[in-house]
Amino acid sequence: MSTHADTHTDTDGRRDAGVTWGEFAAAEPDLARTVEERFAAHTHHVLATLRKDGSPRTTGLEVRFLDGELWFGMMPGSMKALDLRRDPRFSLQANPGEGTTMGGGDVRVAGRAVEVPKDDTETRARYVEEVEPPEPFHLFRTEVTEVVRTSVEDEKYLVVQVWKPGAPVRTLKRT
């Protein structure tokens, strides 16, 4: 991946395509660790994709952080997989859990999902070894374009942390 000023260009020439999870984690390790912990707290999360007509679709999804990547595995022919094949943009919301405490805050990741082709047997085999998904399956790696964490500090402040490629975390605090 190459950079041009504060704008990232993906290998296929798209600008602002995003970075791998590992690149984000290297740039902002504390926020990355918090986000991974929030996703690890529950199995199912909410994925938003875009339907053929452009309207949003939300659906449940299990995610994995492996080898510096954020992965999505899906059943063959699922609507969310078809959505991502047509338009790779997504937003992923961590399951907030029960109650209203949301230890670690509310987190979401946005970006672009890139399908791993069936002939990339090496990548797929590494994923299968770790995750043991039912086969066949769609496998997507992600390019992260935004990470947001919203939390409450001192039971007084709403704190919103926003990260985008090429910039440090921006923190907004409100009472």
Side-chain angles (χ1 to χ4, degrees):
M1 173 173 294
S2 63
T3 60
H4 174 51
D6 283 336
T7 303
H8 290 268
T9 304
D10 193 27
T11 54
D12 63 2
R14 282 186 317 280
R15 294 179 74 130
D16 295 324
V19 299
T20 66
W21 185 260
E23 290 169 314
F24 160 65
E28 296 294 342
D30 292 338
L31 181 57
R33 188 173 24 265
T34 298
V35 171
E36 287 182 33
E37 288 170 358
R38 286 295 299 125
F39 278 102
H42 300 281
T43 303
H44 294 92
H45 307 286
V46 178
L47 177 71
T49 59
L50 295 170
R51 300 172 192 253
K52 213 183 284 189
D53 67 1
S55 63
R57 179 190 319 270
T58 59
T59 187
L61 181 72
E62 295 180 27
V63 301
R64 295 290 191 278
F65 295 91
L66 301 169
D67 300 326
E69 300 276 5
L70 169 58
W71 299 95
F72 300 162
M74 300 173 195
M75 292 175 25
S78 67
M79 297 308 291
K80 58 191 159 201
L82 300 177
D83 286 347
L84 291 172
R85 280 181 162 178
R86 186 177 45 260
D87 185 329
R89 293 175 293 171
F90 72 87
S91 184
L92 178 68
Q93 181 85 31
N95 184 332
E98 295 182 29
T100 59
T101 59
M102 289 192 304
D106 178 53
V107 298
R108 71 180 184 274
V109 176
R112 185 173 165 272
V114 179
E115 189 164 15
V116 176
K118 290 185 187 207
D119 64 357
D120 186 348
T121 55
E122 182 181 327
T123 299
R124 294 176 72 84
R126 281 195 323 268
Y127 182 82
V128 166
E129 185 177 317
E130 289 288 328
V131 179
E132 299 179 8
E135 294 197 45
F137 64 96
H138 293 283
L139 180 60
F140 294 85
R141 67 173 186 78
T142 63
E143 295 173 349
V144 179
T145 59
E146 182 180 61
V147 177
V148 178
R149 175 181 180 241
T150 305
S151 60
V152 176
E153 185 178 293
D154 298 330
E155 297 182 27
K156 179 178 177 181
Y157 299 102
L158 179 69
V159 179
V160 180
Q161 295 173 287
V162 180
W163 175 87
K164 293 185 179 191
V169 172
R170 186 171 42 118
T171 302
L172 310 162
K173 238 183 204 185
R174 292 190 278 192
T175 56

